[in-house]
Amino acid sequence: MNNIGNEVKRIEAIIDQDYEGLDYWNINRDTALKLLCTLFEEWVYQLDQEIFSFMEPQKIKLNGFIITLVEALDWLIRMTFKKNKIDGCNVEDVDTLIKYTQEAFAKAIIHVKAEQIFLPFWKGLYMAKVDSKNSNKDCIEFEFHSHDVAVLEGINFVLLEEYNHYKLKKLEKVEQTIKKLYSNVPEMHYHTMSIARTEFDFDFPDDYNIGPYTIRDIKNVWRRVIREAYWADRHNRDQKLIDRDSLPDLWSINVENWVLTDVKEETALKLIDDLTYTGRMKGKQRSSKPLLQPIFQLSDGTRFISPRFILYNQLGRNIITILNRIYGDEANQDADSKETIFIKELRDVTSQYPNLSVCHDVPVDGTNVDFGILDTNDNTLALFELKWFVEPVTAVEIQNKDAEISKGLHEQLPKYEDAIKENGSKFTLKAFGKEIEINESFYFVLTRLTIGSGLIKPSPYKTINIRMLKKALFDTNGNLNEACRKLYDGFYYPKINEDFSLEKAEFKMGNVTVIADSIKKLDSSYDLSIPSDSEVSLLGFEMNPEKVPQMKFKHVGSSIYILTKDSMEEENLGKEGSNHLETSVQGFFKGVTPSEEQLNAYSTCMFDKRIGRRERRKLERRMKKAIKRAVKNRMRDIMKDIHN
């Protein structure tokens, strides 16, 4: 391992050296940050336009490119704070600035891929072999440590994809409902979507504490940031309709301009500060990255967002992750209540089946049983060790949770089984209030989503997630024995060569060729959803586009609209003698939307901070041409890859 480890380090150093000499690092930091975000916004806009004209397979590929750009921007901003100086060069030639920034993006895309490959090697997920026969070129190949590791990587990858698709369908249903109700009222659309994004992304109840904040505080602050991003994106798209070569604007964040009725201003200011990336560590955090702190700060203290970077952010897991890092143990002061939340959700699942009784926190020798289900029809018992953690996304994050899952499989579940084998009726007396002879018992580690890496030592027990359990109970109409047998047999695990395949990916990173095992999701029907998952509600309101009328409004004032005569709802109201309906954001979920005057003030381009209108127009004309060339070159490469 020492020899191969040294070889891998040598290859990493070669790849790192490939980006060290970039001219981009010499640019003034503030200018560099603005350039990065502007070019990112332009590329994502162009990709979005292309997505509309492609079929599903190409759409998936284009969306993949957008995620790659998000990851590249994350890496570049992190490196810009490290390498670009505040008093760096002020290059006046715009073409040169754009060229330097485009070169940096190209290198960033390569380096992000390198990080995603090399880091799992150091965590034991990959084995490596190096071919250095050619003195000028190196080739390194990474393979999964074992077949089990490869398969579990694929299973977790598909589970994440399936869950993200489930959440996306919920958001789409909300959006379709709001579009039908308030099709031409952007205030309502953006306000409601920002609420939906925060409500659906946080599993914790509103009074749950993370550091000095409640979940309610976080939602109320962050939905305003999301809403700002929606307005900024709308502004940029409107500008494109006027001038297709216009540059995307970035958006400043000023808490002082918000009307705060549901959160204290000092709380909002503190949270925004915690979620602002400055390149410096805060509190107890040892590491961070812009994806976790997606507000950026310039040298003069100005805070701004890149709208699409916010809208592509997985806010729930990212915000919780960074607050845990900043506040350390303090952030987990309510950790015990996680189990209570999980148990409530499980009770909601089992309550659909009258034959199922449940118990929780039942003491047995050496531990407590977290949760149990008894099928009173045939006295089948299933016991669960619950594992709730902030859901990992990458292979390394998943592997970092192995110790918790392994403890459940190899320490706690054997104690569960021993207790039942020793005296099952004694357990049922404590758990269900009467002695019952158990006919058959099953034991599981139950997670929210991912199920651990292939590095976990094999166990006779099974790790499943809550969506698998819900699906199994639904498919068997609450027959616990049948459901558990399906779960034990891995029936609800994604299948290799059916739902995913193992591939070899090859990359050129400078003078190094990197070949790595990778996972490819196949076009399968894998879905853990049940019919009730299609029922979407938001703050007690059912979100179903088929159950709401098509309404149209006329804009008559700042955030004030009236129903028009061609609205179905207008006709219905007219029969009852009412012919107008006034609505404002202030009257809907107690939200706040900026007026047109505020929007004009907020939409100030980050490039016009210190220059007049005439100078800005002159600079913009030059930058339009440069941006257009950069985007055209990148889009040409992307389209070539799509068609190949």
Side-chain angles (χ1 to χ4, degrees):
M1 175 63 185
N2 286 338
N3 288 338
I4 191 63
N6 290 334
E7 280 292 283
V8 173
K9 286 182 180 178
R10 181 180 67 81
I11 297 293
E12 279 187 301
I14 293 172
I15 293 172
D16 288 347
Q17 194 61 39
D18 189 51
Y19 71 77
E20 287 291 347
L22 285 171
D23 293 313
Y24 169 83
W25 307 129
N26 298 320
I27 302 173
N28 167 288
R29 182 191 294 168
D30 288 353
T31 301
L33 289 170
K34 297 170 191 174
L35 282 166
L36 285 176
C37 293
T38 300
L39 197 53
F40 167 80
E41 290 291 325
E42 182 66 24
W43 274 339
V44 173
Y45 171 81
Q46 297 292 347
L47 284 168
D48 266 354
Q49 300 308 300
E50 293 292 337
I51 284 173
F52 286 118
S53 61
F54 279 98
M55 301 298 288
E56 195 61 31
Q58 287 80 15
K59 285 183 178 181
I60 293 172
K61 208 167 187 179
L62 284 170
N63 278 316
F65 278 118
I66 292 177
I67 299 304
T68 298
L69 287 174
V70 169
E71 293 169 341
L73 181 62
D74 170 77
W75 184 84
L76 272 173
I77 289 175
R78 187 165 21 118
M79 297 304 296
T80 297
F81 273 97
K82 286 182 180 180
K83 301 176 76 66
N84 293 67
K85 297 178 180 178
I86 294 174
D87 59 352
C89 296
N90 288 307
V91 181
E92 293 186 4
D93 183 66
V94 177
D95 290 355
T96 301
L97 283 173
I98 297 299
K99 176 188 173 187
Y100 289 170
T101 309
Q102 188 180 11
E103 288 172 350
F105 257 109
K107 296 294 184 183
I109 290 171
I110 291 171
H111 198 79
V112 165
K113 289 178 180 176
E115 282 189 348
Q116 292 170 348
I117 292 170
F118 281 82
L119 191 54
F121 166 79
W122 297 112
K123 289 290 186 176
L125 294 167
Y126 274 141
M127 300 181 296
K129 54 184 178 181
V130 178
D131 181 1
S132 302
K133 294 177 182 177
N134 189 327
S135 58
N136 296 322
K137 294 182 179 180
D138 288 286
C139 178
I140 184 168
E141 184 171 357
F142 293 95
E143 295 180 338
F144 285 120
H145 197 271
S146 68
H147 182 71
D148 286 344
V149 170
V151 171
L152 263 296
E153 284 299 298
I155 288 172
N156 284 315
F157 180 78
V158 176
L159 289 176
L160 284 164
E161 290 282 307
E162 191 273 340
Y163 182 65
N164 287 333
H165 184 63
Y166 157 69
K167 288 201 301 183
L168 181 62
K169 286 192 293 186
K170 288 176 67 175
L171 279 173
E172 286 175 347
K173 200 159 189 178
V174 172
E175 188 161 25
Q176 290 164 5
T177 304
I178 296 304
K179 277 185 176 179
K180 196 170 178 185
L181 279 171
Y182 303 103
S183 59
N184 61 331
V185 184
E187 289 93 337
M188 299 296 280
H189 182 87
Y190 299 148
H191 182 70
T192 309
M193 287 304 296
S194 67
I195 291 174
R197 292 282 297 268
T198 53
E199 288 297 321
F200 295 163
D201 251 28
F202 286 98
D203 292 322
F204 299 101
D206 283 353
D207 57 356
Y208 184 88
N209 287 294
I210 300 179
Y213 313 107
T214 64
I215 290 295
R216 183 184 292 105
D217 293 334
I218 297 169
K219 288 178 179 179
N220 287 333
V221 172
W222 201 250
R223 66 180 172 83
R224 287 174 165 87
V225 176
I226 293 174
R227 195 172 59 222
E228 298 267 16
Y230 275 125
W231 279 112
D233 186 56
R234 177 190 175 90
H235 165 79
N236 288 336
R237 285 186 283 110
D238 286 348
Q239 289 299 110
K240 287 288 186 183
L241 295 176
I242 299 169
D243 178 3
R244 61 182 296 182
D245 292 329
S246 65
L247 295 173
D249 286 344
L250 307 178
W251 206 258
S252 58
I253 294 294
N254 297 301
V255 176
E256 295 81 2
N257 293 339
W258 293 351
V259 179
L260 299 172
T261 58
D262 47 16
V263 62
K264 294 179 180 178
E265 183 173 337
E266 55 266 34
T267 300
L269 287 167
K270 183 173 177 57
L271 181 59
I272 290 296
D273 183 67
D274 282 343
L275 299 179
T276 297
Y277 190 83
T278 63
R280 297 186 297 272
M281 298 299 105
K282 300 174 182 179
K284 299 178 181 180
Q285 76 179 107
R286 298 178 182 176
S287 64
S288 184
K289 56 182 182 177
L291 274 171
L292 302 181
Q293 294 172 297
I295 301 171
F296 312 131
Q297 184 168 306
L298 301 177
S299 59
D300 64 358
T302 300
R303 291 188 171 112
F304 75 94
I305 59 172
S306 181
R308 294 299 187 95
F309 193 72
I310 292 289
L311 296 177
Y312 278 102
N313 198 286
Q314 291 181 291
L315 66 100
R317 70 171 300 276
N318 288 343
I319 289 176
I320 290 172
T321 296
I322 192 60
L323 293 180
N324 278 334
R325 291 182 185 179
I326 292 173
Y327 294 100
D329 292 338
E330 180 188 344
N332 294 310
Q333 59 185 320
D334 277 355
D336 290 344
S337 68
K338 290 181 182 179
E339 188 174 298
T340 303
I341 299 163
F342 209 167
I343 287 169
K344 180 183 182 304
E345 191 171 349
L346 288 166
R347 283 184 177 277
D348 290 342
V349 172
T350 56
S351 65
Q352 309 301 313
Y353 310 100
N355 57 303
L356 300 183
S357 297
V358 301
C359 64
H360 67 88
D361 200 28
V362 182
V364 295
D365 188 23
T367 188
N368 280 10
V369 172
D370 288 341
F371 192 77
I373 305 175
L374 174 71
D375 190 334
T376 56
N377 286 343
D378 61 4
N379 292 345
T380 294
L381 179 69
L383 300 182
F384 301 87
E385 172 68 20
L386 306 183
K387 298 296 180 184
W388 179 323
F389 33 68
V390 176
E391 274 308 330
V393 171
T394 67
V396 171
E397 289 176 350
I398 291 169
Q399 192 263 339
N400 286 341
K401 304 299 182 183
D402 280 358
E404 295 180 54
I405 294 175
S406 183
K407 182 179 179 181
L409 291 171
H410 298 289
E411 295 181 30
Q412 282 143 320
L413 289 185
K415 293 176 181 177
Y416 289 15
E417 186 170 17
D418 288 345
I420 300 304
K421 284 182 177 178
E422 182 180 330
N423 195 335
S425 58
K426 179 182 177 182
F427 173 84
T428 61
L429 181 62
K430 287 188 290 185
F432 303 102
K434 56 184 176 181
E435 293 187 355
I436 300 170
E437 185 177 344
I438 300 301
N439 288 329
E440 194 166 7
S441 56
F442 300 87
Y443 308 89
F444 302 91
V445 169
L446 185 68
T447 71
R448 301 289 298 174
L449 184 52
T450 55
I451 60 172
S453 82
L455 295 179
I456 296 175
K457 190 172 71 173
S459 163
Y461 312 111
K462 210 76 173 178
T463 303
I464 61 172
N465 69 29
I466 190 169
R467 285 178 61 75
M468 293 180 194
L469 177 61
K470 286 173 64 176
K471 178 70 169 169
L473 290 174
F474 175 80
D475 287 349
T476 60
N477 196 28
N479 185 313
L480 187 61
N481 194 288
E482 287 185 26
C484 288
R485 288 185 180 280
K486 282 176 173 285
L487 291 166
Y488 255 39
D489 291 341
F491 183 81
Y492 295 102
Y493 278 11
K495 305 295 188 296
I496 188 170
N497 298 326
E498 183 177 325
D499 302 305
F500 65 92
S501 63
L502 304 180
E503 307 281 330
K504 290 283 187 185
E506 184 171 326
F507 310 100
K508 292 291 292 183
M509 300 179 179
N511 288 326
V512 177
T513 299
V514 179
I515 302 169
D517 283 351
S518 63
I519 304 297
K520 179 182 178 182
K521 186 178 182 301
L522 300 179
D523 186 18
S524 71
S525 58
Y526 183 80
D527 190 356
L528 292 175
S529 294
I530 62 176
S532 61
D533 287 337
S534 64
E535 299 169 4
V536 180
S537 65
L538 182 62
L539 301 182
F541 294 88
E542 183 179 8
M543 294 286 121
N544 188 338
E546 297 178 1
K547 294 185 178 181
V548 297
Q550 179 74 53
M551 300 199 295
K552 295 181 181 179
F553 293 84
K554 180 181 179 181
H555 189 193
V556 297
S558 180
S559 297
I560 300 176
Y561 298 77
I562 60 172
L563 280 166
T564 59
K565 290 184 179 181
D566 60 349
S567 167
M568 288 173 56
E569 184 69 7
E570 169 72 7
E571 293 173 7
N572 292 334
L573 289 172
K575 293 175 183 178
E576 299 173 5
S578 175
N579 55 14
H580 286 96
L581 174 66
E582 182 180 289
T583 180
S584 71
V585 172
Q586 286 78 4
F588 186 74
F589 297 151
K590 298 181 180 179
V592 180
T593 296
S595 66
E596 289 185 12
E597 291 78 16
Q598 288 174 312
L599 289 176
N600 290 332
Y602 291 169
S603 64
T604 302
C605 175
M606 298 301 294
F607 286 98
D608 69 355
K609 293 290 184 184
R610 299 181 179 85
I611 59 176
R613 180 185 293 270
R614 182 175 297 177
E615 288 86 355
R616 182 195 171 186
R617 293 301 180 195
K618 184 178 178 181
L619 176 63
E620 220 176 35
R621 281 194 294 271
R622 294 168 62 197
M623 291 196 71
K624 283 175 186 176
K625 294 178 182 178
I627 286 273
K628 195 172 181 181
R629 282 197 299 272
V631 171
K632 184 177 179 182
N633 292 338
R634 181 64 185 145
M635 289 299 296
R636 183 183 60 230
D637 294 340
I638 289 174
M639 291 301 106
K640 186 188 297 181
D641 189 57
I642 288 289
H643 291 299
N644 288 339

